[in-house]
Amino acid sequence: MKLAVIEGDGIGKEVIPVALEVLAAFELGIEKVPLELGYARWQRTGAALTAADLELIKECDAVLFGAITTIPDPNYKSILLTLRKELELYANIRPIKPLPGITGVTGRRDFDFVIVRENTEGLYSGLEELHEDLAYTRRVISRKGSERIAKAACELAKKRANKLTIVHKSNVIKADKLFLDVCRETAKTYGVEASDMLVDAMAYSLMTQPEKYDVVVTTNLYGDILSDMSGALVGSLGLLPSANLGEKYAFFEPVHGSAPDIAGQGIANPLAAILCVKMLLEWAGDARALLLDEAIAHVLQKKIITPDLGGTAKTADVGHAVVEYLRSRGTNLNV
Ligand code: NAI
Ligand code: MG
């Protein structure tokens, strides 16, 4: 496997090296292709992402990505959005479930759901106009885009509880009616039990009745917001991984951003990035992915936790503890 590695900016540079150490413990013989993209590179060279970078990335099978600080230039086109579009990574899969011994703001641990976020259109269309006194961003919902994300969600639902919740705001936003209709039709074709929720009510319900949900399919911006909110349910934004999937490529990244408020201190929680390694192994069909659940449970039980979870461990300490556990357990063991 050829893996493009983009650490990016801020804590991306701290958590991705730790994730790579963990990945190395699995001895997969991965060929790594490091790429320097992001704000720091833009400051130095004036280019945040070039056509040559894109070519290199497209020659890889998968990408491990940290986070990129938004570049303060009115003409800046988001690197992440460009990559998601160029690689046609239309499904952003964000599993939300508690980790052993960690509780979030609600104190609840009885939930296990997956946000399936449409990743290429919606309000992230890039079709925008910025004038002195008026600005527009066009919200794009297409049948094709809605159908492919609905199919991805239904396929996932079939492997889980066969239950789908479609999240939208079609009472106010006309474009959402198309998304809702296509998702409903697709669920019917798949024989998946579907219900729907308005996004504002869903935000409340996810905090008060999270156990009700299994697979949640939604448009780009709602998925973005609901997943950060779900970080509070799990216990930290530093605990949520994601996989951006298309027909050809897979792109793994923590849900969080570059966190400039804590960058450079070595205290970022690397578990989201380590869980990205788990998602990568699962995507590659490697059953040893499950060993990472064991390893993470072990470090949490030993309270090797970063300040966001109330601990004093450094990013590297958590990584070393995970790798040490994997080494002692032996990653060649049958699981
Ligand atoms: P953020 O996700 O970087 O941080 C939000 C809060 O969560 C901060 O208080 C931060 O310290 C905390 N946090 C995030 N990850 C953490 C971790 N692993 N361990 C401990 N605490 C963690 O969001 P923010 O501050 O709004 O954005 C910062 C920059 O990142 C912006 O330039 C934004 O545009 C960019 N961004 C990039 C993303 C990406 O490249 N995928 C995603 C989200 C934001
Ligand atoms: Mg986000």
Side-chain angles (χ1 to χ4, degrees):
M1 186 201 307
K2 227 170 146 176
L3 179 71
V5 178
I6 304 168
E7 292 179 358
D9 299 304
I11 63 165
K13 289 193 184 302
E14 299 168 35
V15 297
I16 294 301
V18 166
L20 287 175
E21 275 176 44
V22 170
L23 184 59
F26 289 90
E27 296 178 2
L28 282 164
I30 289 177
E31 183 190 340
K32 283 179 281 175
V33 180
L35 282 114
E36 191 210 351
L37 304 182
Y39 188 29
R41 144 99 173 265
W42 177 81
Q43 282 179 309
R44 228 187 45 250
T45 68
L49 169 75
T50 63
D53 297 327
L54 259 179
E55 280 318 301
L56 270 177
I57 294 170
K58 284 183 176 173
E59 281 166 20
C60 296
D61 306 291
V63 182
L64 184 62
F65 179 95
I68 281 178
T69 300
T70 300
I71 292 168
D73 173 350
N75 297 316
Y76 169 63
K77 213 171 140 219
S78 162
I79 294 175
L80 196 51
L81 295 199
T82 306
L83 290 175
R84 286 173 180 167
K85 278 193 185 150
E86 283 284 334
L87 306 178
E88 286 211 65
L89 302 164
Y90 61 85
N92 194 329
I93 311 292
R94 302 182 149 188
I96 314 288
K97 65 177 186 182
L99 290 174
I102 305 289
T103 43
V105 291
T106 64
R108 301 185 60 145
R109 302 185 36 80
D110 57 344
F111 56 89
D112 178 355
F113 60 93
V114 183
I115 296 178
V116 178
R117 162 185 173 192
E118 200 294 318
N119 218 20
T120 55
E121 42 187 44
L123 261 177
Y124 294 61
S125 66
L127 301 173
E128 314 191 89
E129 281 179 41
L130 199 54
H131 304 291
E132 181 91 17
D133 297 312
L134 193 61
Y136 295 102
T137 296
R138 190 168 291 188
R139 191 161 193 280
V140 175
I141 303 285
S142 71
R143 177 169 293 276
K144 180 185 164 203
S146 304
E147 211 165 67
R148 63 186 184 179
I149 194 68
K151 282 183 177 168
C154 286
E155 269 157 31
L156 184 61
K158 282 265 165 214
K159 293 186 204 142
R160 295 174 53 103
N162 205 39
K163 233 172 75 180
L164 182 70
T165 308
I166 307 158
V167 177
H168 61 99
K169 185 80 183 170
S170 71
N171 57 336
V172 179
I173 299 173
K174 294 257 186 313
D176 274 20
K177 181 75 169 65
L178 178 59
F179 183 78
L180 174 61
D181 288 346
V182 172
C183 287
R184 275 187 179 145
E185 285 159 23
T186 310
K188 208 168 166 193
T189 317
Y190 274 79
V192 168
E193 184 196 320
S195 57
D196 68 281
M197 286 285 282
L198 295 173
V199 64
D200 41 359
M202 184 65 174
Y204 181 74
S205 188
L206 274 182
M207 281 308 199
T208 52
Q209 309 173 284
E211 80 287 356
K212 274 179 59 178
Y213 300 100
D214 191 59
V215 176
V216 175
V217 66
T218 191
T219 56
N220 212 335
L221 178 64
Y222 305 155
D224 192 0
I225 297 171
L226 292 180
S227 44
D228 268 36
M229 195 191 72
S230 302
L233 204 53
V234 178
S236 167
L237 204 42
L239 297 175
L240 302 188
S242 81
N244 298 260
L245 304 177
E247 302 303 337
K248 201 161 167 204
Y249 301 102
F251 183 112
F252 302 90
E253 55 162 336
V255 166
H256 63 74
S258 59
D261 56 339
I262 57 164
Q265 300 175 42
I267 56 165
N269 192 336
L271 290 179
I274 292 172
L275 286 165
C276 286
V277 171
K278 181 186 169 202
M279 291 187 91
L280 187 152
L281 292 171
E282 281 169 346
W283 168 80
D286 192 324
R288 294 175 302 166
L290 291 174
L291 287 176
L292 279 175
D293 287 335
E294 269 181 39
I296 290 172
H298 173 78
V299 301
L300 292 175
Q301 195 248 330
K302 289 190 84 179
K303 292 270 176 270
I304 304 170
I305 50 176
T306 42
D308 56 314
L309 299 177
T312 54
K314 294 279 194 177
T315 312
D317 299 334
V318 178
H320 293 155
V322 168
V323 170
E324 203 178 291
Y325 177 86
L326 291 172
R327 295 239 164 88
S328 68
R329 170 75 163 75
T331 47
N332 289 324
L333 292 181
N334 287 331
V335 288

